[in-house]
Amino acid sequence: MQVEDARYLKRKVKGGSIDVHPTEKALVVHYELEATILAETGDPMLGERKECQKIIRVRSLNSTTDVASLAAEVVERCKLIHPSKLPEVEQLLYYLQNRKETSSSAGVKKGELTGKLKEPPPYEGMELDEVANINDIEEYVELLYEDIPEKVRGTALILQLARNPDNLDELHLNETALGALVRVLREDWKRSVELATNIIYIFFCFSSFSQFHGLVAHFKAGALVMGIVEQELKRHQLWSEELRKKKKTADENPQMKKDYEKSLKKFHSLVKKQEQLLRVSFYLLLNLAEDTKVEVKMRNKNIVPLLMKTLERDHHELLILVVSFLKKLSIFVENKNEMAANQIIEKMTKLVPCDHEDLLNISLRLLLNLSFDADLRSKMIKLGLLPKLVMLLGNENHRLVTLCLLYHISMDDKAKSMFTYTDCIPVVIRLILECPTDKVEIELISLAINLACNKRNAQIICEGNGLRLLMRRALKFCDPLLLKMIRNISQHDGQTKHQFIDYISDIASIIKNSDDEELVVEALGILANLTIPDLDYELILREYNLVPWIKNKLEPGAAEDDLVLEVVMLVGTVAMDDACAAMLANSGIIQSLIELLNAKQEDDEIVCQIVYVFYQMVFHEATREVIIKQTQAPAYLIDLMHDKNAEIRKVCDNTLDIISEFDEEWSVKIKLEKFRWHNSQWLEMVESQQMEDGDGIMYGDESYSPYIQESDILDRPDLFYGYEDGELFDGTMTPDYVDEFGHPLNDGYPARPESAMFRNGAGIEMADGYGMPIDGYHHIPVDEFGNPIGSLEFEDYPYSH
């Protein structure tokens, strides 16, 4: 029998079981659909059987619903349920009525964090009683050429197919269907929100898989969707303005109140549909933005302002999507600046805190990205976000991201003091002390380290038994980061510093016995910070035998730079004590410091601390004599007087001033060096002139010094009084006993020479300073000022070449 002989199609529906939906308030009806093609004789030619299901949502079901009446209504309206199953339906509805909410949204309300973006839920335009079949795709495409209701139905059926990932491979090969969908979207999206949402949802299904992104780009669906989003946001603005006008009219005229209420109800209905469209659209764009090039194109089409406008909505799921998109964009500085220009912090402040856990978490993560900008951190504090963030430390779902955000805020010195007006410090200390592991969370301890840099914060930490408990934990678990926090506390003057006296033995024990270099560095830092006048440093050094240990660590290459720096700082602290300074000087540590200075001359921190040690030691008479008489420390200080680092120059100047007061020889050298520095340009000019005049003199000639710096500037009278024929006048002469030409008075020569030395064009001396011929040169008449008299022609003289 041939297919052409087929005349009849017989459908048979067989009811099946009824279950409750696992997450929603809905019944799931299972049934079997059997389709048979009959010939003219009634014989079956072809048959197919398929398992199907229908979801019946009962959104109105609540604790006060009449379950019996609702069950009867369900059985009456659903032809798939036989009336004999009424008791079963009633029992299932009763179960739904008393079942605890297990949907994802209910979980969020109860404080559960999903951390995932959810797919858009079913909506009015996509719910159909029939089940789509991939074999009927051509029929669904034909519906796209009908009126709007048929187009909505056709797109809903295609959407059913697209929501099943198994169908996407076959659908993406049907270019006719996809082209028709894009055409309908471009032409008719304004006529039906349901139609536009269905089509965008279809392309969203493709965008969920990276291999189909090229397909979406081929049909330019992304650009079309961005245009639709922009127009929808403008439409919402017009709706809001119209509603505002009607509300104002209703307030003035009570008779218009009903009209306003009707408009308000319609407005909410339209907004609900529009938000569904926006949610699908932004989800599609977010998927496409995986490609950075596509993201740049979106930014050029003003995606950031569109997202910022949508932040004003109240729909939680839509806001989660928008904030997630903004978070992704915020990693680029251009997007971050654009967000800042659109008042991002002001809008995000309204979302922190909120009842929706997922929305709150993603909002905090966006703020964390933005907090890398100092100006935005400052704005967060001005808008009152700091107390809100501190409150969230009690919520385990958001504690980690909140700690990171607070850490960024605490990096600013001005912001540190703001923490004293919150409960942050007690909460942080409690979390540290109650930490179940040996090491405190890096985010938590980092925040504590920053907070301890502020004096008032340190005082709050030390209140009660705070310092004792922190020291006990640090010593028990040997936690270097916790000890770093304690070190920051120890740097503040006042009562907090005196509390460390009880722990000196523990700190010294760590220095001598610990193999953990990071722990030793922090312990050295604490001991170096204890600049307490009444503290007996000599006793500490002797009791724990620290001097040989210090000398060993100061040897170049004996330890890492961080450890060496802390050792030098400790030496500077203990050198304030007279007895300690003498002990260090006698042990040869000063020479070790000089050698270290040579080795680490490029490290400004170490150099500055070594110079500070010298500064401390020159205060004491015993060590002052050692530094000045037995070491070359003053010479090194003179070399560092003009270092590029301002702090090094400052400490050097102060140290050299003290040395100048107590040692005459070094005082002269220091003054000479300062003279050379302040007159360096003049000295360079004089030196270059001397080099030009002495071209014929070899450097090996002992009577000539090629560099002026090699001799004492005060012993060079030729620079001040005169220089004649290569002879230097006696340096004891003064200008009062020489004439204006530099010659002694009353020595047999006339006070005013009648002739003077003159150079010809070749630079040859024609006569001496008194007009006497040199080597056969003729006498040249000169006036009283030494200038030649009359016209002088070099060719008149036989030797003027």
Side-chain angles (χ1 to χ4, degrees):
M1 187 175 292
Q2 302 299 320
V3 177
E4 298 86 45
D5 299 330
R7 292 292 182 268
Y8 306 100
L9 176 64
K10 181 180 179 181
R11 295 181 59 190
K12 182 179 181 181
V13 178
K14 182 179 179 181
S17 61
I18 307 174
D19 295 325
V20 295
H21 196 280
T23 59
E24 299 181 24
K25 287 184 177 180
L27 298 176
V28 181
V29 180
H30 299 274
Y31 63 96
E32 186 180 86
L33 178 62
E34 182 179 354
T36 306
I37 299 176
L38 303 178
E40 289 184 352
T41 59
D43 298 326
M45 293 177 56
L46 185 64
E48 185 179 358
R49 183 177 298 176
K50 189 174 183 181
E51 296 287 340
C52 304
Q53 67 179 24
K54 179 177 177 62
I55 298 176
I56 304 173
R57 291 179 174 82
V58 283
R59 296 189 179 92
S60 61
L61 181 64
N62 54 49
S63 58
T64 61
T65 302
D66 185 351
V67 175
S69 300
L70 182 59
E73 184 181 355
V74 170
V75 172
E76 181 183 356
R77 296 179 62 179
C78 183
K79 304 302 181 182
L80 298 173
I81 303 176
H82 195 272
S84 62
K85 292 190 176 183
L86 178 60
E88 183 181 353
V89 173
E90 187 174 338
Q91 184 65 30
L92 293 174
L93 291 175
Y94 180 77
Y95 170 77
L96 284 174
Q97 186 181 39
N98 294 278
R99 182 178 69 176
K100 294 182 179 180
E101 292 186 3
T102 58
S103 66
S104 57
S105 60
V108 169
K109 293 179 181 177
K110 293 180 179 295
E112 296 179 3
L113 186 65
T114 64
K116 297 180 180 178
L117 290 174
K118 303 167 190 173
E119 286 195 9
Y123 50 92
E124 183 179 346
M126 66 179 292
E127 292 182 342
L128 296 174
D129 292 338
E130 56 184 309
V131 179
N133 191 323
I134 191 65
N135 298 320
D136 300 330
I137 184 65
E138 300 301 330
E139 296 180 10
Y140 307 150
V141 173
E142 291 178 3
L143 294 174
L144 300 179
Y145 296 91
E146 304 296 332
D147 293 334
I148 293 298
E150 284 74 18
K151 288 180 180 179
V152 173
R153 177 170 168 267
T155 54
L157 290 168
I158 297 175
L159 177 57
Q160 279 190 31
L161 299 175
R163 293 185 70 184
N164 184 354
D166 296 335
N167 296 327
L168 292 179
D169 281 327
E170 187 169 347
L171 284 175
H172 99 277
L173 297 175
N174 195 331
E175 191 168 343
T176 303
L178 297 176
L181 288 170
V182 173
R183 177 188 58 79
V184 173
L185 179 62
R186 184 179 296 109
E187 296 176 356
D188 297 330
W189 70 266
K190 293 183 180 179
R191 301 173 61 187
S192 173
V193 177
E194 292 85 358
L195 178 62
T197 306
N198 285 347
I199 298 176
I200 295 174
Y201 204 144
I202 292 169
F203 283 100
F204 158 72
C205 294
F206 281 105
S207 71
S208 299
F209 300 91
S210 300
Q211 60 265 36
F212 295 125
H213 283 190
L215 173 72
V216 179
H218 173 71
F219 289 101
K220 300 182 179 179
L224 182 57
V225 168
M226 282 197 66
I228 293 173
V229 169
E230 184 176 2
Q231 293 299 321
E232 287 293 336
L233 291 176
K234 291 180 180 179
R235 183 184 293 182
H236 178 269
Q237 188 175 359
L238 292 175
W239 292 344
S240 301
E241 291 177 359
E242 290 179 5
L243 188 64
R244 196 178 301 111
K245 292 178 182 179
K246 290 186 177 182
K247 185 177 185 304
K248 184 178 180 181
T249 304
D251 292 339
E252 296 174 355
N253 186 1
Q255 296 179 355
M256 301 296 293
K257 188 174 181 180
K258 289 184 178 180
D259 184 46
Y260 166 71
E261 291 176 352
K262 183 179 179 181
S263 299
L264 181 61
K265 186 176 180 180
K266 181 180 179 181
F267 173 77
H268 288 314
S269 176
L270 292 173
V271 167
K272 184 178 179 180
K273 293 180 180 180
Q274 189 186 66
E275 286 176 344
Q276 186 64 49
L277 171 64
L278 293 175
R279 185 179 174 189
V280 177
S281 300
F282 281 128
Y283 214 150
L284 167 67
L285 296 174
L286 178 59
N287 288 341
L288 296 179
E290 289 180 2
D291 186 347
T292 308
K293 295 180 180 179
V294 176
E295 183 178 320
V296 171
K297 292 180 180 179
M298 291 183 185
R299 181 187 178 276
N300 294 336
K301 290 182 176 291
N302 298 320
I303 186 65
V304 174
L306 296 180
L307 293 167
M308 295 297 297
K309 289 181 181 178
T310 315
L311 273 181
E312 300 170 359
R313 302 297 183 99
D314 298 325
H315 193 278
H316 284 168
E317 297 299 334
L318 176 60
L319 288 174
I320 290 173
L321 193 58
V322 170
V323 176
S324 300
F325 209 153
L326 288 171
K327 172 180 167 290
K328 183 182 187 304
L329 296 171
S330 64
I331 64 176
F332 294 102
V333 65
E334 297 86 358
N335 296 334
K336 182 264 300 179
N337 293 337
E338 192 170 3
M339 293 177 196
N342 284 275
Q343 310 299 320
I344 180 68
I345 302 300
E346 286 83 351
K347 294 182 179 180
M348 293 305 301
T349 304
K350 301 175 184 178
L351 301 178
V352 180
C354 68
D355 297 333
H356 199 289
E357 292 290 289
D358 281 332
L359 177 58
L360 177 57
N361 189 266
I362 196 64
S363 299
L364 292 172
R365 293 184 181 278
L366 171 58
L367 288 173
L368 178 61
N369 283 3
L370 297 174
S371 66
F372 284 90
D373 186 286
D375 294 333
L376 294 180
R377 289 199 302 268
S378 176
K379 186 172 288 188
M380 291 178 193
I381 296 176
K382 291 179 181 178
L383 294 174
L385 262 181
L386 184 57
K388 297 179 180 180
L389 295 174
V390 172
M391 290 174 58
L392 293 174
L393 288 176
N395 189 329
E396 292 186 2
N397 291 334
H398 313 297
R399 181 177 297 162
L400 182 62
V401 64
T402 303
L403 285 171
C404 294
L405 191 49
L406 289 173
Y407 169 75
H408 280 183
I409 294 176
S410 68
M411 290 193 300
D412 302 324
D413 291 335
K414 293 182 179 179
K416 289 183 177 70
S417 60
M418 302 299 295
F419 284 85
T420 60
Y421 302 102
T422 68
D423 295 330
C424 183
I425 296 174
V427 172
V428 168
I429 299 302
R430 177 177 58 80
L431 292 174
I432 291 175
L433 297 176
E434 294 177 357
C435 183
T437 59
D438 294 351
K439 302 294 183 181
V440 183
E441 294 175 348
I442 185 66
E443 296 83 7
L444 178 60
I445 194 62
S446 299
L447 173 60
I449 289 171
N450 279 0
L451 294 179
C453 293
N454 180 269
K455 184 175 182 179
R456 178 57 188 147
N457 291 343
Q459 293 173 349
I460 296 175
I461 293 172
C462 294
E463 286 179 356
N465 296 324
L467 181 60
R468 180 175 64 84
L469 295 173
L470 290 173
M471 282 296 301
R472 179 189 299 175
R473 180 179 176 87
L475 296 173
K476 179 181 178 181
F477 296 110
C478 296
D479 189 346
L481 291 178
L482 185 54
L483 211 60
K484 181 186 285 290
M485 172 196 173
I486 297 172
R487 172 189 174 181
N488 286 352
I489 297 174
S490 68
Q491 70 183 349
H492 303 293
D493 296 327
Q495 190 60 35
T496 55
K497 185 169 290 190
H498 288 79
Q499 294 186 33
F500 284 88
I501 295 177
D502 299 334
Y503 307 103
I504 288 180
S505 59
D506 297 320
I507 296 170
S509 178
I510 293 175
I511 294 173
K512 282 299 295 291
N513 303 321
S514 178
D515 295 330
D516 188 344
E517 186 172 305
E518 293 183 3
L519 201 66
V520 174
V521 167
E522 304 307 332
L524 285 168
I526 294 174
L527 203 57
N529 285 337
L530 301 184
T531 53
I532 303 174
D534 300 332
L535 189 60
D536 192 345
Y537 295 105
E538 183 185 12
L539 179 62
I540 297 172
L541 295 181
R542 290 188 184 278
E543 182 176 350
Y544 298 99
N545 196 27
L546 289 177
V547 174
W549 185 89
I550 291 174
K551 188 174 181 181
N552 178 55
K553 296 299 180 183
L554 289 178
E555 295 295 330
E560 295 293 332
D561 288 352
D562 290 342
L563 182 60
V564 172
L565 177 62
E566 298 301 330
V567 172
V568 176
M569 292 174 65
L570 176 60
V571 173
T573 299
V574 300
M576 292 189 301
D577 183 80
D578 196 352
C580 277
M583 182 191 304
L584 295 173
N586 295 331
S587 66
I589 282 183
I590 296 178
Q591 187 59 37
S592 298
L593 289 173
I594 292 176
E595 294 175 2
L596 182 64
L597 186 62
N598 277 331
K600 302 293 183 181
Q601 55 185 319
E602 299 299 328
D603 192 322
D604 284 356
E605 285 189 271
I606 293 179
V607 170
C608 188
Q609 292 299 331
I610 292 175
V611 174
Y612 179 74
V613 172
F614 295 154
Y615 173 75
Q616 289 290 353
M617 287 190 169
V618 296
F619 274 107
H620 311 296
E621 183 176 354
T623 52
R624 184 188 311 126
E625 292 298 320
V626 174
I627 288 179
I628 295 175
K629 303 297 183 183
Q630 301 178 18
T631 70
Q632 289 297 315
Y636 282 98
L637 293 174
I638 290 175
D639 289 340
L640 292 171
M641 278 175 57
H642 315 300
D643 192 88
K644 59 184 179 180
N645 189 296
E647 291 298 323
I648 294 177
R649 294 199 304 269
K650 181 179 178 181
V651 181
C652 276
D653 287 342
N654 294 336
T655 308
L656 290 173
D657 288 344
I658 298 173
I659 293 175
S660 298
E661 293 180 10
F662 292 95
D663 190 277
E664 187 67 27
E665 181 180 352
W666 279 111
S667 176
V668 173
K669 294 180 179 179
I670 293 168
K671 290 179 180 178
L672 176 60
E673 178 59 29
K674 289 183 177 181
F675 172 82
R676 285 175 173 168
W677 175 257
H678 289 294
N679 298 279
S680 57
Q681 291 184 348
W682 177 74
L683 292 175
E684 289 176 3
M685 180 188 68
V686 173
E687 177 187 352
S688 63
Q689 182 65 38
Q690 295 288 356
M691 292 293 292
E692 291 176 3
D693 291 346
D695 285 341
I697 302 176
M698 301 301 293
Y699 287 122
D701 192 342
E702 295 181 358
S703 64
Y704 181 77
S705 297
Y707 297 102
I708 197 167
Q709 285 85 352
E710 293 181 4
S711 60
D712 195 330
I713 192 66
L714 302 178
D715 294 335
R716 296 293 303 274
D718 58 301
L719 300 178
F720 304 99
Y721 307 139
Y723 184 87
E724 179 67 30
D725 292 338
E727 292 185 44
L728 295 175
F729 289 125
D730 189 343
T732 59
M733 274 189 165
T734 67
D736 296 333
Y737 300 100
V738 296
D739 62 16
E740 61 183 318
F741 302 100
H743 294 285
L745 296 175
N746 302 321
D747 58 354
Y749 290 92
R752 289 183 181 174
E754 295 178 356
S755 62
M757 177 186 69
F758 180 78
R759 293 178 183 270
N760 66 6
I764 301 175
E765 294 183 355
M766 306 276 304
D768 64 8
Y770 288 86
M772 301 298 295
I774 299 176
D775 296 333
Y777 281 76
H778 292 71
H779 179 270
I780 303 171
V782 296
D783 61 14
E784 58 181 333
F785 302 103
N787 298 318
I789 299 175
S791 172
L792 181 64
E793 299 294 335
F794 289 109
E795 47 269 17
D796 295 338
Y797 298 91
Y799 298 101
S800 58
H801 301 290

